[in-house]
Amino acid sequence: MSTGSGAHSAPAPTTHDTSSATEAPRKASMFSSLKIRNYRLYFMGQVVSNTGTWMQRIAQDWLVLSLTGSATAVGVTTALQFLPMLLFGLYGGVLVDRLPKRPTLLVTQSAMAVTGLALAALTLTGHVQVWHVYVAAFAVGLATVVDNPARQSFVSEMVGPGQLQNAVSLNSANFQSARLVGPAVAGLLITGVGTGWAFLLNGLSFVAPIAGLLLMRSRELHAVERAPRGKGQLREGLRYVAGRPQLIWPIVLVGFVGTFAFNFPVYLSAFADDVFHAGAGTYSLFNTLMAVGSVTGALLAARRGTARLRVLSAAAMVFGAVEIVAAVTPQLWMFAALMVPLGIFGMTVNVTANTGIQMATDPAMRGRVMAFYMMVFLGGAPVGAPIVGWITDAYGARVGLAAGGAIAALAAAAIGLVLARTGGLRLAVGWHHGHPTVRFVPRERERLATVA
């Protein structure tokens, strides 16, 4: 792809500057990246497509349940959709680093559109069987293996390093906003005209992102050097991540948080049913309030315009602490109110980690690194769900949620100290204008001050 004026991706920072390596310039506008035509086309397409994706998720689960009457079958469908990412996610990253991103996305988005339309045709004609849904879910998962890291990497090509934080934040707000609208529309379609129409609209929704990709101007994209075909590129990617503290430790932190603290289907359903003895409506309310918080957190991240590793550690610690507070909250309304800050700080963790990892990665390695990040992030919940489910069943929902929050907070504190140490920082406690302060101070600056 050709470049625009000054359009080059950010180089990977050195491993010594872990406190500020992932910092981007501060932005004045919450929606500044939308001023870029190519990203604006992409964003508008994703508004439509994300809504269709949430519609299909709800319709797919409901169809399987209606065909089988089995919650286990619904779980199998979900597992089949995530299994390809766990098995082949790293190989997808290798492909993304070799291939041009925009043509790759045209293929993957078209494949997912065909899958949705095929499922719609089977359902509307009355020929659908549960194995058809299984195959469709697995096919979508296979497309996601390449589509996910390609989309993550393509953002930097559209907006460049200066707007990356803002664009990633707006993408998250986009997805979470669709989470509010898509299930509601799916519910109306399912009860009004049937699940097949939800599949049909999802298939047609891919017209929007495909059109956006086709309308982009190649000359305005930021050039990224693609990795040449060669042996050992998967191992090379893993070694690249392992040798950089500003990459490996945020991924480890996201792994802990995603595995033990992000299992909200387990926690929230248990609180709605066992603790507060309410129904499905209360469970839906919890999820809606958390989605509101997630949208808010994504927009705040877009306004902040920085992706500092200390923000990531602090947000993860607060996220874990809020979970612990929620676990001991006696009243339903108080618990429900805490879903909003949980969504805010959970999204802050997600956006900050995503942006920081992208900006600290060499463009030629970005597909492999983002594939590894997404594999850890998406794969953590299925691995942790049986563990936190067992804790919740054995000791109660309050203990389960508190344990997940404690693990997230302790992991954030430990990894924050590791990052500070590798970045030549130390924890300083003092007073400023009559108030206690806790901050990281460069060791070199402290030594010079002592000498002076």
Side-chain angles (χ1 to χ4, degrees), residues 367-393:
R368 278 164 284 183
V369 173
M370 293 310 297
F372 183 55
Y373 165 75
M374 295 307 300
M375 188 179 71
V376 171
F377 185 66
L378 295 177
V383 173
I387 300 174
V388 300
W390 175 81
I391 295 173
T392 300
D393 287 339

Side-chain angles (χ1 to χ4, degrees), residues 176 179-180 287-297 339-340 343-344:
Q176 294 298 329
R179 180 182 173 187
L180 294 173
N287 281 279
T288 299
L289 290 172
M290 186 169 292
V292 170
S294 297
V295 173
T296 304
M339 294 301 101
V340 176
I344 291 174

Side-chain angles (χ1 to χ4, degrees), residues 90-433:
L90 293 176
Y91 295 97
V94 172
L95 286 176
V96 168
D97 280 336
R98 293 175 179 173
L99 300 172
K101 307 299 186 297
R102 186 161 62 136
T104 300
L105 287 172
L106 285 170
V107 173
T108 57
Q109 296 281 295
S110 299
M112 287 189 279
V114 170
T115 302
L117 293 174
L119 200 54
L122 289 168
T123 306
L124 291 173
T125 57
H127 294 93
V128 69
Q129 299 179 37
V130 69
W131 71 267
H132 294 144
V133 186
Y134 288 164
V135 171
F138 190 75
V140 170
L142 284 175
T144 303
V145 166
V146 176
D147 183 80
N148 209 315
R151 282 190 294 107
Q152 298 287 336
S153 303
F154 190 52
V155 173
S156 65
E157 295 188 25
M158 287 184 287
V159 303
Q163 294 285 354
L164 184 58
Q165 163 85 8
N166 185 264
V168 171
S169 303
L170 291 182
N171 284 349
S172 299
N174 187 330
F175 187 75
Q176 294 298 329
S177 299
R179 180 182 173 187
L180 294 173
V181 177
V185 176
L188 293 174
L189 288 172
I190 291 169
T191 56
V193 293
T195 56
W197 291 97
F199 296 136
L200 178 61
L201 289 183
N202 176 56
L204 295 176
S205 74
F206 285 97
V207 172
I210 291 172
L213 290 167
L214 292 173
L215 290 171
M216 288 182 184
R217 296 169 181 162
S218 297
R219 66 180 182 275
E220 296 178 9
L221 294 173
H222 294 240
V224 171
E225 181 182 355
R226 298 201 301 270
R229 182 182 298 271
K231 295 181 178 180
Q233 290 181 321
L234 179 57
R235 291 192 301 272
E236 180 188 9
L238 294 175
R239 285 196 301 268
Y240 180 88
V241 173
R244 287 162 173 76
Q246 73 270 37
L247 295 179
I248 186 62
W249 289 114
I251 291 175
V252 170
L253 176 56
V254 167
F256 273 105
V257 174
T259 300
F260 297 104
F262 262 49
N263 274 287
F264 291 112
V266 176
Y267 295 137
L268 299 187
S269 60
F271 266 84
D273 188 32
D274 300 333
V275 176
F276 297 118
H277 308 290
T282 300
Y283 175 62
S284 176
L285 173 65
F286 292 160
N287 281 279
T288 299
L289 290 172
M290 186 169 292
V292 170
S294 297
V295 173
T296 304
L299 293 176
L300 289 174
R303 187 179 185 86
R304 186 169 60 248
T306 58
R308 298 185 180 188
L309 294 178
R310 64 191 181 196
V311 173
L312 172 62
S313 297
M317 280 190 281
V318 175
F319 175 76
V322 174
E323 280 201 344
I324 295 173
V325 172
V328 299
T329 298
Q331 300 294 329
L332 187 153
W333 70 268
M334 295 173 64
F335 183 86
L338 286 172
M339 294 301 101
V340 176
L342 271 181
I344 291 174
F345 288 104
M347 184 54 61
T348 301
V349 171
N350 186 359
V351 171
T352 306
N354 188 314
T355 311
I357 289 169
Q358 286 203 53
M359 293 200 67
T361 302
D362 190 298
M365 302 291 295
R366 193 167 283 149
R368 278 164 284 183
V369 173
M370 293 310 297
F372 183 55
Y373 165 75
M374 295 307 300
M375 188 179 71
V376 171
F377 185 66
L378 295 177
V383 173
I387 300 174
V388 300
W390 175 81
I391 295 173
T392 300
D393 287 339
Y395 301 102
R398 294 190 184 278
V399 174
L401 182 59
I407 291 172
L410 290 173
I415 291 171
L417 291 174
V418 170
L419 287 169
R421 188 174 184 84
T422 58
L425 305 174
R426 76 167 188 87
L427 189 67
V429 180
W431 289 83
H432 182 68
H433 296 305

Side-chain angles (χ1 to χ4, degrees), residues 55-73:
M55 289 169 56
Q56 173 138 334
R57 287 188 182 186
I58 300 301
Q60 178 178 275
D61 291 347
W62 187 260
L63 176 61
V64 171
L65 191 62
S66 63
L67 289 173
T68 64
S70 169
T72 301

